[in-house]
Amino acid sequence: MKTFIKQESLLSIKKSAVAGIYLLTLLVFSSGLCAGFFISFFGFVIDVFKVAFLFCCGLMVVCTVLLFLLIKKNRVLKNDYLVFVFIAPIYLLVAIAVINAHFNVEVIDLPNGGIRVIGVSLLYPVFIMLPLGIGNGLFCFYAYLKALVCEVLRRNNPKTKEENSIGMS
């Protein structure tokens, strides 16, 4: 954990910045997984889910840029571009979901005016994408988020403040 975080920046970071970093990281992972699920289950043919996929991908990109700017502003990581290394696996999982949907998901028009989606497999979204996405999120938590949250909790704990003031007397 200490290999990715600048210790001196932990003392100067604000509670609101920690909340923003935490929230943006969570939004990147949740929107990426949602985008992968939309495209894996419904393909590109159904317009509503295509729009939902594009919205989730757009949200993921915007949150990634905002996360990078917030981390760069507060100098949290030793190398600011490490955030892209942490977030890249979720983009890779979404790209694989798009490729999987392009080749495997097919929509057939039924005679009564309905549609039927065939070729949907739960293998990739449920058994590959979800565990790898959650694992990547846990890695990010232990790599840089946990240190930030622990520092804010330590500063807000009244016992820690009393011990620091007694020790300084």
Side-chain angles (χ1 to χ4, degrees):
M1 176 169 63
K2 293 180 181 180
T3 59
F4 300 118
I5 298 287
K6 288 183 181 179
Q7 290 296 111
E8 61 274 4
S9 69
L10 286 179
L11 300 174
S12 63
I13 195 164
K14 297 177 183 174
K15 187 177 180 179
S16 61
V18 172
I21 291 170
Y22 196 81
L23 179 66
L24 286 171
T25 303
L26 184 66
L27 280 173
V28 167
F29 282 102
S30 61
S31 61
L33 290 175
C34 284
F37 275 108
F38 282 132
I39 208 66
S40 292
F41 287 128
F42 303 108
F44 292 103
V45 179
I46 302 173
D47 290 335
V48 174
F49 294 110
K50 189 187 308 183
V51 170
F53 168 75
L54 292 174
F55 174 76
C56 289
C57 284
L59 181 65
M60 185 172 66
V61 170
V62 168
C63 288
T64 301
V65 170
L66 291 175
L67 178 65
F68 172 72
L69 294 175
L70 191 58
I71 285 178
K72 190 168 179 77
K73 177 184 173 189
N74 291 299
R75 298 285 184 203
V76 174
L77 299 175
K78 288 185 178 178
N79 184 349
D80 296 330
Y81 295 98
L82 275 174
V83 72
F84 294 120
V85 174
F86 294 142
I87 302 295
I90 201 72
Y91 281 92
L92 181 64
L93 290 172
V94 172
I96 292 170
V98 168
I99 293 168
N100 181 36
H102 180 70
F103 289 111
N104 293 329
V105 177
E106 185 180 343
V107 177
I108 297 175
D109 292 324
L110 297 176
N112 62 0
I115 58 173
R116 180 176 176 178
V117 180
I118 59 171
V120 175
S121 170
L122 293 177
L123 178 69
Y124 178 73
V126 174
F127 297 112
I128 297 173
M129 187 174 69
L130 189 61
L132 289 177
I134 291 172
N136 188 22
L138 288 173
F139 172 72
C140 286
F141 177 76
Y142 286 110
Y144 68 95
L145 292 175
K146 185 178 179 184
L148 298 174
V149 172
C150 289
E151 178 62 27
V152 168
L153 290 175
R154 187 190 63 77
R155 278 192 264 158
N156 290 338
N157 190 356
K159 289 183 179 181
T160 307
K161 289 180 184 177
E162 290 173 10
E163 291 171 0
N164 287 342
S165 64
I166 292 172
M168 297 181 86
S169 305

